[in-house]
Amino acid sequence: MEQLQQLLQASAKLYQHLTNLPKDEEREDYIEKVHTLLDDRGILIEEMRKNGFRVDSTNKSHQMLIELDKGIRERLDKVMKLIQADLKDLQNAKKNEQQYMNPYSSVQVMDGRYYDKKN
């Protein structure tokens, strides 16, 4: 039971941390904290699995754990989509910068030669 309470506390901490989406300058620390909390939670889950823990849907603590897990997954998906969108914006910005620096890079030219088919 003590491990279950620790898992509930770790899950609640992670859930609470995921409620606030990070600002751009705080993203690295935010992700680092998410990794730490996920690692701590993963260690507890592995220990409980080794001890033969099974989820019982009639137990209130187990139901709470299931709900927290669903919420954590949803919020992790939101954070992942936010990061993917930022990466996509960054890639577009790099592409636009390259296009600006060399606007003729995509143009294929025959070295200024002109062939007249008339003889």
Side-chain angles (χ1 to χ4, degrees), residues 32 54 65 69 71 77 84 89 104 107:
E32 192 65 35
R54 297 282 180 210
L65 190 60
D69 188 55
D77 285 340
Q84 286 174 344
D89 290 343
Y104 301 109
V107 177

Side-chain angles (χ1 to χ4, degrees), residues 18 22-23 29 36-37 46 80 96-97 100 104 112 118:
L18 290 171
K23 296 177 183 164
D29 294 333
T36 303
L37 293 171
E46 281 300 314
M80 187 69 140
N96 290 339
E97 182 180 343
Y100 180 76
Y104 301 109
K118 295 180 185 178

Side-chain angles (χ1 to χ4, degrees), residues 14 32-45:
L14 179 59
E32 192 65 35
K33 176 123 181 178
V34 168
H35 279 291
T36 303
L37 293 171
L38 281 172
D39 289 342
D40 293 345
R41 188 171 177 259
I43 291 169
L44 288 170
I45 289 172

Side-chain angles (χ1 to χ4, degrees), residues 3 43-54:
Q3 285 182 334
I43 291 169
L44 288 170
I45 289 172
E46 281 300 314
E47 287 178 8
M48 291 176 74
R49 282 186 182 163
K50 286 179 184 175
N51 294 336
F53 177 77
R54 297 282 180 210

Side-chain angles (χ1 to χ4, degrees), residues 8-9 15 17 44 46 81 93 95 99 108 112:
L8 281 170
Q9 288 175 353
Y15 183 82
H17 182 68
L44 288 170
E46 281 300 314
K81 287 179 184 177
K95 181 181 173 185
Q99 186 70 25
Q108 293 182 348

Side-chain angles (χ1 to χ4, degrees), residues 1 3 7-8 13 17 22 26-27 30 41 47-48 59 67 71 73-74 96 98 101 110 114-115:
M1 278 299 184
Q3 285 182 334
L7 181 60
L8 281 170
K13 255 189 217 179
H17 182 68
E26 299 171 351
R27 181 161 297 144
Y30 180 84
R41 188 171 177 259
E47 287 178 8
M48 291 176 74
N59 189 333
E67 290 299 318
R73 288 177 191 266
E74 289 172 0
N96 290 339
Q98 288 174 351
M101 295 300 284
M110 296 290 291
Y114 176 73
Y115 293 104

